Amino acid sequence: EVQLVESGGDLVQPGGSLRLSCAASGFTFSNYWMSWVRQAPGKGLEWVANIKHDGSEQYYVDYVKGRFTISRDNAKNSLFLQMNSLRAEDTAVYYCARDIVVATSLDAFDIWGQGTMVTVSS
Amino acid sequence: QSVLTQPPSVSAAPGQKVTISCSGSSSNIGHNYVSWYQQLPGTAPKVLIHENNKRPSGIPDRFSGSKSGTSATLDINGLQTGDEADYYCGTWDTSLSARVFGGGTKLTVL
C-alpha cells in the first residue's frame, strides 16, 4: 500500500525549533518530488516547500525562506522539514505529499499523509 | 490573500450540478497544469483532477475539470450529500517558483 506517515509535531514556544519527518512506503521514493503542505486551524491549504527526487533542488514559500529547510534521505525513504525561529502563525497541521511530474512540469499531489500538528505558543 | 481565486462557498440540491471556478494569471494557470482536491471534514485532501482534466482511478466521472486561459473549473454532477466538503484548486506559479492553492470553496448540498 502506498503510504505517507508524518511525525514530529508538537507544542513549541515562539522562536523554537522542530523537525518533522515523513516515512514513505509502497513506492519508489527516490523517483518522486515531495512537498510539505500546511493548514492552519480553520484555514485553507498552503504549500510550504518541495524537493526534487534527488534532493538537488528545493523551493520554498516566501515566508518560510531562511527559517525552514526541506531535506530527504532516499536510502531511508524519508522526508524532513527542519523548522527554526517558529512563530505563532506557523501553527498548523503539516502534511507531506507526493508530487506528480508530467514531462518536466509539476502536476498534482497524488498521495497525502494524515498530517502532524504543530502548535507554536507560549 | 490567495494567488488563485475561488468562491468561498457554493450550494445546490442533491442530484443537481455545481460549478466551482478558479481564477489565476498567465504565470500560474495560464502556463501550468491545474489540479483539484476534495477535503472532507477532519481528513487529508484527496486529488480529484490532475493535468487540468484527468481523473485518477477511483474518482467518479461525476467530477470533471477544465481549463481555459487563466481560469479553471471543477464541475460536479449528480450531487450527493457525501460530496459536502472543501474543494481546492492548485497549480505551479512560474514567477513565484512556488506551488499555489486557491482559498478553497465550501460545498453545501442542501
Side-chain angles (χ1 to χ4, degrees):
Chain A
E1 180 191 5
V2 175
Q3 196 172 12
L4 297 170
V5 178
E6 303 93 336
S7 60
D10 205 347
L11 170 64
V12 61
Q13 291 190 342
S17 297
L18 207 56
R19 189 191 197 211
L20 305 184
S21 299
C22 172
S25 59
F27 64 99
T28 305
F29 180 71
S30 59
N31 286 352
Y32 290 88
W33 284 72
M34 296 294 297
S35 280
W36 288 98
V37 178
R38 70 185 182 183
Q39 187 170 34
K43 302 298 184 182
L45 301 176
E46 180 182 55
W47 173 81
V48 174
N50 68 358
I51 185 168
K52 196 174 180 180
H53 56 85
D54 59 2
S56 62
E57 296 178 33
Q58 305 92 35
Y59 298 92
Y60 299 88
V61 70
D62 278 351
Y63 33 86
V64 306
K65 286 179 181 176
R67 300 190 300 125
F68 290 11
T69 302
I70 189 172
S71 62
R72 64 192 298 161
D73 183 339
N74 285 345
K76 295 184 178 180
N77 295 330
S78 294
L79 177 72
F80 306 102
L81 185 68
Q82 177 66 43
M83 303 186 294
N84 299 328
S85 302
L86 282 161
R87 306 166 180 167
E89 52 265 36
D90 295 319
T91 294
V93 173
Y94 284 73
Y95 297 100
C96 69
R98 189 175 80 172
D99 285 71
I100 300 174
V101 174
V102 177
T104 58
S105 298
L106 286 168
D107 181 21
F109 303 111
D110 67 335
I111 305 296
W112 296 69
Q114 86 289 350
T116 188
M117 184 70 204
V118 173
T119 303
V120 184
S121 175
S122 55
Chain B
Q1 194 79 345
S2 302
V3 172
L4 305 180
T5 301
Q6 295 181 234
S9 63
V10 295
S11 62
Q16 297 299 303
K17 172 185 173 180
V18 70
T19 296
I20 299 174
S21 61
C22 176
S23 177
S25 68
S26 60
S27 66
N28 43 65
I29 291 178
H31 286 91
N32 294 289
Y33 291 121
V34 177
S35 50
W36 289 91
Y37 304 88
Q38 177 193 60
Q39 187 175 33
L40 298 169
T43 70
K46 178 176 75 173
V47 62
L48 294 176
I49 298 291
H50 68 99
E51 279 184 77
N52 304 327
N53 55 18
K54 296 184 179 179
R55 282 186 309 277
S57 60
I59 301 300
D61 59 7
R62 300 187 298 108
F63 296 91
S64 62
S66 63
K67 186 180 99 167
S68 178
T70 60
S71 293
T73 298
L74 174 70
D75 289 327
I76 310 174
N77 287 281
L79 276 172
Q80 302 174 0
T81 55
D83 295 333
E84 284 204 338
D86 293 322
Y87 292 83
Y88 297 89
C89 58
T91 187
W92 177 257
D93 190 297
T94 306
S95 296
L96 297 174
S97 291
R99 291 272 209 177
V100 291
F101 287 104
T105 299
K106 182 176 182 60
L107 169 63
T108 301
V109 181
L110 302 169

